């Protein structure tokens, strides 16, 4: 779970410092930096998994695929920043396995990972792309005593104790020296660990990316956490495809293997918040839960199920309407398929980590947006109860420019992205800024940027006022007393 992200020098992210909760909605117009924030998360995921150059080339560029790694660095006119830095505070799983199947147990589960990467143009050896140099890498623990000050979002003490475990005094990864003498140190960790020093100048990848269970179990679990950060790009063409009997049983980031994942989930049993695993073989319970969830989006739902065709050895997802007519996935709307994929993720106990989703309102009727938001909130971990098989450590971040989404989301879940002017070396430029609403948990941070009412109202007008509104326990943006007098709200938008 990513609880805080600081970015400097990456695209238009300059001095960005964002706190995240279980569910976060980032709203703003096009080209202000919403997707760049996702790209920063994706880049951190990539450097935990592959060489620096490959990680850089995996990040999208304006207009398509990235072929120039220098485009990742902040630019003012013809001048590029020489380096970019990232700081990620995160809660990691306590146990896991490395690539060889060896079991690892972290000695601390609340960590801060810092990395500074510089661009280096060399005459020989690096080709036209130039190269990337690892100038600093650090992985340190955040103590239990610090946790309650770091975790600003609303949570139960028992939840925090179930999330923040372990004890550690020294660093896991640190950097010492300058220039050619700079070394990245992997400190002893666990029973079999040993201290290793690696010259930093020509390191092709981060030290975190090569962590294993034997020598650095905590770094390995930090790596596993970062590898779980996914940018979902649910493609209707992938969601419509039937699956073979031997297809993977984990939903792809593009939505592929939806039928196989649901079929496997139904056969082995899934999860229900506050309940134990469903007994294997009781497929109808899982299918019934998916159908009930889908009925919040569309009215005409009788059943959701997967048909295993033994002759052709394929699995096909069907939705049956109230007239008992079955409709295969290829006949369903884009919005229905995206909703189904997210509903499967919500029930699947093996879906963990951070899920980033762009414009969740795509293909969804405005009146049904509350149902989509409830689903996304239910995917995220419930911080009022302990973490467990019925409450996996999951997190959701979405971005949007839809006023309907902004109006319906809870006020403490909203970040507003906007461009603000700054000056660097005498040159003016615009950078992304992510602002919260006053009197929300993010505003407890004394350095938090607070969004102006004028900026927020540009998302919410025109809306018709309503005199009597049943305000939920956690306020939505549209329910704030300081805004309701200034906007007009349609009745159906409020009561959804």
């Amino acid at each position: 779970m990513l609880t805080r992200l600081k970015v400097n020098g990456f695209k238009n992210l300059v001095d960005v410092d964002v706190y995240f909760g279980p569910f976060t909605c980032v709203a703003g117009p096009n080209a202000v930096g919403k997707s760049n924030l996702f790209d920063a998360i994706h880049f951190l995921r990539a450097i935990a998994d592959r060489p620096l150059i490959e990680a850089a080339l995996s990040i999208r560029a304006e207009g398509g695929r990235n072929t120039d790694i220098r485009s990742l660095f902040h630019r003012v006119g013809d001048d590029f920043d020489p380096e970019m830095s990232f700081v990620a505070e995160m809660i990691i799983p306590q146990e896991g396995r490395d690539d060889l199947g060896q079991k690892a147990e972290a000695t601390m589960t609340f960590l801060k990972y810092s990395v500074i990467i510089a661009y280096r143009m060399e005459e020989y050896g690096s080709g036209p792309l130039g190269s990337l140099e690892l100038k600093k890498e650090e992985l340190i623990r955040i103590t239990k005593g610090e946790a309650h000050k770091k975790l600003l979002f609303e949570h139960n003490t028992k939840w925090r104790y179930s999330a923040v475990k372990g004890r550690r005094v020294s660093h896991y990864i640190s950097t010492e020296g300058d220039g050619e003498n700079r070394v990245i140190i992997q400190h002893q960790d666990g029973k079999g660990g040993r201290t290793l020093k690696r010259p930093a100048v020509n390191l092709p990848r981060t030290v975190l990316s090569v962590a294993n269970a034997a020598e650095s179990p905590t770094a390995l679990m930090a790596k596993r956490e970062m590898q779980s950060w996914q940018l979902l790009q649910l493609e209707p063409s992938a969601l419509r495809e039937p699956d073979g009997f031997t297809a993977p049983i984990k939903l792809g980031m593009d939505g592929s293997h939806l039928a196989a994942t649901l079929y496997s989930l139904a056969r082995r049993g899934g999860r229900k918040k506050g309940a134990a695993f469903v007994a294997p073989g009781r497929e109808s319970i899982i299918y019934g839960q998916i159908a009930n969830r889908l009925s919040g989006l569309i009215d005409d739902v009788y059943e959701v199920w997967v048909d295993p065709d033994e002759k052709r050895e394929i699995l096909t997802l069907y939705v049956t309407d109230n007239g008992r007519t079955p409709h295969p996935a290829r006949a369903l709307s884009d919005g229905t398929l995206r909703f189904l994929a997210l509903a499967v993720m919500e029930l699947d106990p093996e879906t963990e980590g951070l899920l980033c989703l762009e414009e969740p309102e795509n293909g969804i009727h405005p009146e049904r947006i509350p149902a989509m938001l409830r689903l996304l909130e239910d995917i995220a971990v419930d911080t009022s109860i302990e973490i467990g098989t019925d409450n996996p450590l999951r997190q959701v971040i979405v971005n949007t420019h839809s006023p309907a989404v902004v109006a319906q989301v809870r006020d403490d879940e909203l970040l507003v992205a906007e461009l603000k002017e700054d000056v660097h070396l005498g040159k003016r430029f615009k950078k992304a800024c992510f602002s919260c609403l006053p009197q929300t948990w993010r505003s407890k941070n004394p350095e938090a940027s607070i969004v102006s009412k004028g900026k927020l109202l540009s998302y919410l007008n025109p809306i018709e006022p309503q005199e009597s509104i049943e305000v939920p326990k956690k306020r939505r943006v549209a329910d704030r007393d300081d805004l309701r007098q200034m906007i007009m709200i349609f009745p159906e938008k409020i009561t959804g």
Side-chain angles (χ1 to χ4, degrees), residues 198-434:
R198 297 179 173 88
V201 175
N202 294 313
L203 273 180
R205 59 195 305 158
T206 61
V207 170
L208 185 81
S209 69
V210 295
N212 59 55
E215 295 180 340
S216 47
T218 306
L220 171 69
M221 295 314 301
K223 168 185 171 180
R224 287 287 184 258
E225 168 62 23
M226 292 168 67
Q227 287 174 328
S228 75
W229 298 350
Q230 301 183 63
L231 176 58
L232 294 179
Q233 296 175 314
L234 300 175
E235 297 292 340
S237 58
L239 290 163
R240 289 190 171 94
E241 281 295 313
D243 286 312
F245 279 12
T246 59
I249 56 174
K250 184 174 173 126
L251 201 67
M253 286 189 285
D254 62 351
S256 55
H257 313 306
L258 175 58
T261 304
L262 177 55
Y263 184 68
S264 172
L265 179 64
R267 288 175 63 85
R268 74 177 187 266
R271 77 177 186 95
K272 183 178 180 181
K273 287 191 175 182
F277 277 98
V278 176
R282 299 183 65 186
E283 293 94 341
S284 61
I285 296 178
I286 301 299
Y287 290 146
Q289 290 175 336
I290 297 292
N292 287 339
R293 177 68 80 169
L294 184 61
S295 65
L297 183 74
I298 54 179
D299 297 325
D300 196 15
V301 178
Y302 174 75
E303 186 181 20
V304 177
W305 55 289
V306 176
D307 175 45
D309 188 324
E310 300 287 348
K311 291 184 178 179
R312 295 189 295 164
E313 295 188 347
I314 61 171
L315 303 167
T316 305
L317 185 149
Y318 284 88
V319 174
T320 302
D321 62 25
N322 290 320
R324 305 300 192 270
T325 302
H327 302 276
R330 65 177 180 273
L332 301 178
S333 70
D334 295 358
T336 299
L337 287 167
R338 285 160 59 93
F339 193 91
L340 273 171
L342 293 170
V344 169
M345 285 185 166
E346 195 275 328
L347 277 182
D348 189 353
E350 296 183 5
T351 298
E352 295 185 332
L354 167 59
L355 304 176
C356 298
L357 182 65
E358 298 209 44
E359 300 177 1
E361 69 275 9
N362 281 351
I364 305 295
H365 191 278
E367 290 183 354
R368 304 297 185 175
I369 283 176
M372 172 62 85
L373 291 175
R374 282 195 298 270
L375 173 56
L376 291 168
E377 290 171 345
D378 286 346
I379 290 174
V381 65
D382 183 349
T383 58
S384 67
I385 60 176
E386 295 181 19
I387 296 169
T389 54
D390 61 340
N391 189 35
L393 188 59
R394 297 193 300 215
Q395 184 179 21
V396 177
I397 304 174
V398 301
N399 69 28
T400 184
H401 49 69
S402 165
V405 173
V406 174
Q408 293 294 332
V409 76
R410 292 172 181 166
D411 65 348
D412 59 355
E413 296 170 338
L414 181 67
L415 281 172
V416 176
E418 51 188 330
L419 291 176
K420 290 193 174 180
E421 196 169 82
D422 204 343
V423 179
H424 178 67
L425 297 178
K427 293 185 177 180
R428 294 186 177 276
F429 68 95
K430 290 185 177 180
K431 64 181 184 180
C433 180
F434 300 89

Side-chain angles (χ1 to χ4, degrees), residues 66-235:
N66 187 17
T67 58
D68 180 9
I69 60 176
R70 200 166 189 183
S71 66
L72 299 184
F73 291 79
H74 178 246
R75 177 181 178 180
V76 180
D78 295 328
D79 298 325
F80 289 88
D81 284 8
E83 59 188 38
M84 52 186 174
S85 64
F86 304 83
V87 179
E89 295 180 2
M90 55 188 164
I91 298 173
I92 67 171
Q94 189 169 29
E95 295 182 352
R97 294 187 180 274
D98 66 11
D99 295 339
L100 298 176
Q102 299 179 91
K103 185 177 179 179
E105 183 173 350
T107 56
M108 194 70 204
T109 61
F110 197 9
L111 305 172
K112 181 169 76 171
Y113 180 68
S114 308
V115 63
I116 298 176
I117 297 172
Y119 179 81
R120 184 173 65 192
M121 178 62 77
E122 299 176 337
E123 293 185 17
Y124 307 102
S126 61
L129 291 177
S131 64
L132 295 176
E133 180 181 350
L134 192 61
K135 299 199 73 174
K136 175 187 175 183
E137 186 176 13
E138 184 178 73
L139 182 68
I140 64 175
R141 57 72 173 111
I142 298 174
T143 67
K144 292 181 180 179
E146 297 172 313
H148 77 282
K149 298 178 182 178
K150 294 279 190 178
L151 301 175
L152 302 180
F153 55 84
E154 183 180 338
H155 64 275
N156 185 282
T157 303
K158 290 184 178 179
W159 179 87
R160 187 171 75 244
Y161 288 162
S162 70
V164 181
K165 297 180 179 180
R167 182 178 182 181
R168 173 78 177 187
V169 177
S170 62
H171 290 8
Y172 296 99
I173 300 174
S174 65
T175 303
E176 291 184 0
D178 295 308
E180 295 183 357
N181 297 320
R182 187 170 61 255
V183 294
I184 310 294
I185 304 173
Q186 176 187 299
H187 296 271
Q188 183 178 358
D189 180 26
K191 297 179 181 179
R194 56 192 177 119
T195 299
L196 298 173
K197 296 185 178 183
R198 297 179 173 88
V201 175
N202 294 313
L203 273 180
R205 59 195 305 158
T206 61
V207 170
L208 185 81
S209 69
V210 295
N212 59 55
E215 295 180 340
S216 47
T218 306
L220 171 69
M221 295 314 301
K223 168 185 171 180
R224 287 287 184 258
E225 168 62 23
M226 292 168 67
Q227 287 174 328
S228 75
W229 298 350
Q230 301 183 63
L231 176 58
L232 294 179
Q233 296 175 314
L234 300 175
E235 297 292 340

Side-chain angles (χ1 to χ4, degrees), residues 4-59:
R4 185 182 185 183
L5 179 63
K6 299 173 71 175
V7 186
N8 190 36
F10 179 85
K11 296 192 173 183
N12 76 334
L13 306 184
V14 178
D15 296 325
V16 165
D17 186 359
V18 181
Y19 284 84
F20 295 105
F23 176 76
T24 301
C25 176
V26 183
N30 294 329
V32 295
K34 303 189 306 295
S35 294
N36 288 344
L37 186 65
F38 279 7
D39 287 340
I41 293 172
H42 182 192
F43 183 65
L44 282 172
R45 177 185 189 271
I47 65 173
D49 194 46
R50 61 184 81 173
L52 295 174
I53 292 293
E54 288 185 23
L57 293 176
S58 72
I59 306 302

